[in-house]
Amino acid sequence: MRAITALIVCGVLLGMAPLSAESADSATRALTPFVMLDVGTEKDSVSPVNNEYFNKHITVGVKTAGKWEYSLKLGTSDKDASTYKLVSNVIEGKIKKSFEVRKGIYPYISARFAEKTYSSKTKPYTSSFTYYSVDVGSKFSLSDSIGLDIGFRFRDSDKYSYQSDRYHAMLLFDINESNTIGIRYSQSSSDNLEEDRESVRLHWQHNF
C-alpha cells in the first residue's frame, strides 16, 4: 500500500514539475489549483445481489496550460450487505487531457491508477489491490453557466475481479467563476455482479 501510494504521489508530482520552460512567474499564472468534494449512492442493479453503497471523496489537483489536469483523490465507501458491513478506502491518482475541437465542445481522455483496501466492520478481514482505468468523454457547453458531460470508463485490476464498463451523464452548473456543482448518473456492467451498479453522485468543485 505504501509503495503504491508513493508511486501515485510521485507520478502526480513529476507530471506537474516540467510544466514549461517559462519563468516561475508565468508558470504560476498558468496553474489553477482546485478541490472537489463529492458524495454518492450506488446499488447493485442485477438481482439477487441487492447491496447499497454510500461513497465520500475529496480530490485535490491542478489544471495547467494546454488543458492538462493532475489530481489525487482520497475516499471511502460503506457497503451494507445482508451478512456484514464492508468499508473500502481508496487513494487514486489521475492525469487528464482535454481538447477544444470547436467552441463549446471539449472531448477528453484520462488515465487513473489507484490502491483500494477493504475491511469489515464486524469481523477480522482486510484485503487490498491495485486497479487502473481509462476514461473518454466530452463536455458540452449548453449555455454560459450550464454544461453536459457524457463519457465511458473502462476499469480493471491486477488481481481482484474488478473489471467493469461504465457510462455516465452529468449536468454541471457554474455558480460563479470559481464554483461548480454537478450531478451525475452512471450505469456500470461487469461479469462480477457486485460491480454491476447504478449510481447517483453530487459534487462541488472550487477553483482557486
Side-chain angles (χ1 to χ4, degrees):
M1 172 68 175
R2 291 179 180 175
I4 296 295
T5 301
L7 285 174
I8 292 172
V9 173
C10 288
V12 172
L13 292 177
L14 287 173
M16 292 168 54
L19 296 175
S20 69
E22 298 176 353
S23 67
D25 236 18
S26 299
T28 301
R29 287 197 301 269
L31 299 180
T32 304
F34 69 89
V35 60
M36 183 170 73
L37 304 175
D38 70 75
V39 293
T41 61
E42 292 182 297
K43 65 177 181 179
D44 296 315
S45 57
V46 178
S47 182
V49 184
N50 294 303
N51 298 310
E52 294 185 354
Y53 311 81
F54 181 61
N55 310 318
K56 307 167 288 292
H57 301 99
I58 179 171
T59 303
V60 292
V62 63
K63 300 176 183 180
T64 74
K67 297 187 180 300
W68 286 95
E69 182 180 305
Y70 305 89
S71 63
L72 189 67
K73 179 170 75 174
L74 301 173
T76 183
S77 176
D78 294 291
K79 170 185 173 181
D80 289 320
S82 58
T83 54
Y84 60 92
K85 292 184 177 181
L86 200 65
V87 178
S88 64
N89 297 297
V90 66
I91 177 169
E92 179 183 273
K94 181 173 80 171
I95 299 175
K96 178 180 178 181
K97 169 64 175 174
S98 298
F99 308 87
E100 184 177 6
V101 294
R102 58 179 296 181
K103 185 175 177 59
I105 302 178
Y106 308 97
Y108 60 82
I109 183 170
S110 68
R112 294 184 276 169
F113 301 89
E115 179 81 1
K116 194 164 193 174
T117 302
Y118 286 110
S119 60
S120 173
K121 290 182 177 180
T122 58
K123 63 182 180 180
Y125 173 78
T126 301
S127 177
S128 63
F129 63 94
T130 303
Y131 70 85
Y132 58 89
S133 63
V134 177
D135 301 70
V136 292
S138 185
K139 179 182 175 182
F140 303 90
S141 294
L142 304 181
S143 71
D144 290 341
S145 60
I146 301 176
L148 172 67
D149 184 320
I150 58 173
F152 167 80
R153 183 217 65 197
F154 170 80
R155 184 190 65 196
D156 208 347
S157 168
D158 60 340
K159 62 178 183 180
Y160 182 70
S161 180
Y162 205 54
Q163 186 275 327
S164 74
D165 301 325
R166 186 187 72 191
Y167 297 88
H168 78 260
M170 177 166 59
L171 280 173
L172 298 163
F173 304 91
D174 291 334
I175 301 172
N176 51 43
E177 290 185 359
S178 300
N179 295 282
T180 300
I181 58 173
I183 183 167
R184 187 189 76 182
Y185 172 80
S186 62
Q187 171 77 59
S188 60
S189 59
S190 173
D191 291 336
N192 179 355
L193 294 184
E194 288 200 354
E195 299 303 329
D196 228 354
R197 301 182 187 177
E198 294 179 338
S199 173
V200 176
R201 189 191 77 175
L202 179 68
H203 83 256
W204 164 71
Q205 179 171 315
H206 176 75
N207 298 316
F208 295 94

